[in-house]
Amino acid sequence: MSQPTPASSGSQQPRTRLGILLSGRGSNFLAIARAIANCSLAGVEIAVVLSNVAGAPGLAAARELNLPTECFVSRGRLRAEHDADVIACLRQHRVDLVCLAGYMRLLSPGFIAAFPDRILNIHPSLLPAFPGLDAQMQAFEYGCTVAGCTVHFVDEHLDHGVIVLQRTVPVLDDDDAHTLAARILEQEHLAYPEAIARVVSGRYRIEGRRFVAHAAQIS
Ligand code: GRF
């Protein structure tokens, strides 16, 4: 499995360039941006924030942070044609690693092939349980006592690729789907930067479906 350009702590080394794709409020994007700003996520930079929805609040937040933004409205367009524009834009911004952060659009096979094993997604359930929409509501209504979120590589199947990291939350007796979703979201904001750090470190291998971190070297 190919890996994104490894990050380095040296200031002379190029940083791994992230392309963030979002469609909505962008809280996961902002969590990534915060982690970069406070140096808890090192060796990466946001090359571009791209949306398929012109009015996405996350896009406005990116503009406020003076980050490069792009918008390719997807409504009414063929998936392959829209994705071709997005791919060209990501290449133009020299993106190494694509991070889907509430990007409400399935990727075409051509998109996945253009960034092999270099697309991450965050999903608000403990996959493989509850893929698809309204995952928190699905977990709540199913009666789960533990819920959570998953950061995974994107493959050609929905919410399916190799899992990088998961975080759990308890489902409390007085929860409703909204309070549960809020508690999961707090964990998403921790999980995504941590997963990006693991991937850009390059210190892992994929064994079947397993993401195996290399043991830390003791000098
Ligand atoms: C998050 O719950 C994420 O897991 C899912 O979409 C939501 C996006 O939220 N894929 P935000 O736009 O990052 O606030």
Side-chain angles (χ1 to χ4, degrees):
M1 183 174 269
S2 65
Q3 296 175 357
T5 311
S8 165
S9 53
S11 57
Q12 304 303 312
Q13 297 293 326
R15 298 183 197 183
T16 299
R17 293 173 62 79
L18 307 182
I20 310 273
L21 270 56
L22 55 79
S23 305
R25 71 189 158 186
S27 73
N28 277 288
F29 146 60
L30 287 169
I32 294 166
R34 266 196 307 274
I36 294 171
N38 70 22
C39 299
S40 58
L41 176 54
V44 306
E45 61 188 327
I46 295 176
V48 64
V49 178
L50 188 153
S51 185
N52 64 324
V53 177
L59 205 52
R63 287 193 197 104
E64 278 177 29
L65 292 176
N66 290 318
L67 289 167
T69 59
E70 304 276 359
C71 184
F72 296 92
V73 173
S74 56
R75 179 169 290 185
R77 295 196 64 197
L78 291 175
R79 190 178 310 282
E81 289 180 7
H82 175 261
D83 279 4
D85 286 345
V86 174
I87 292 164
C89 177
L90 294 171
R91 288 194 169 132
Q92 191 186 339
H93 286 274
R94 292 178 289 115
V95 164
D96 301 305
L97 181 65
V98 178
C99 299
L100 308 184
Y103 188 61
M104 303 302 286
R105 187 145 172 99
L106 294 174
L107 304 188
S108 60
F111 195 145
I112 292 161
F115 290 90
D117 307 317
R118 286 183 294 139
I119 308 175
L120 292 176
N121 181 44
I122 187 157
H123 184 74
S125 79
L126 297 173
L127 291 171
F130 312 122
L133 293 174
D134 295 324
Q136 307 96 323
M137 176 78 84
Q138 291 186 58
F140 180 76
E141 289 185 343
Y142 196 87
C144 294
T145 59
V146 178
C149 62
T150 304
V151 182
H152 63 93
F153 285 104
V154 173
D155 67 11
E156 56 279 10
H157 305 292
L158 177 68
D159 299 329
H160 175 268
V162 165
I163 292 170
V164 178
L165 189 152
Q166 293 184 304
R167 293 182 76 98
T168 60
V169 301
V171 182
L172 305 179
D173 287 345
D174 59 355
D175 263 337
D176 58 32
H178 297 289
T179 56
L180 177 61
R183 195 170 322 106
I184 293 172
L185 191 63
E186 285 176 14
Q187 296 305 309
E188 293 184 42
H189 295 166
L190 300 174
Y192 217 163
E194 190 180 339
I196 292 168
R198 286 188 188 188
V199 170
V200 301
S201 78
R203 294 192 297 271
Y204 67 92
R205 63 186 182 280
I206 305 292
E207 290 180 359
R209 280 199 51 89
R210 297 187 61 237
F211 179 97
V212 182
H214 293 171
Q217 289 183 345
I218 300 167
S219 55

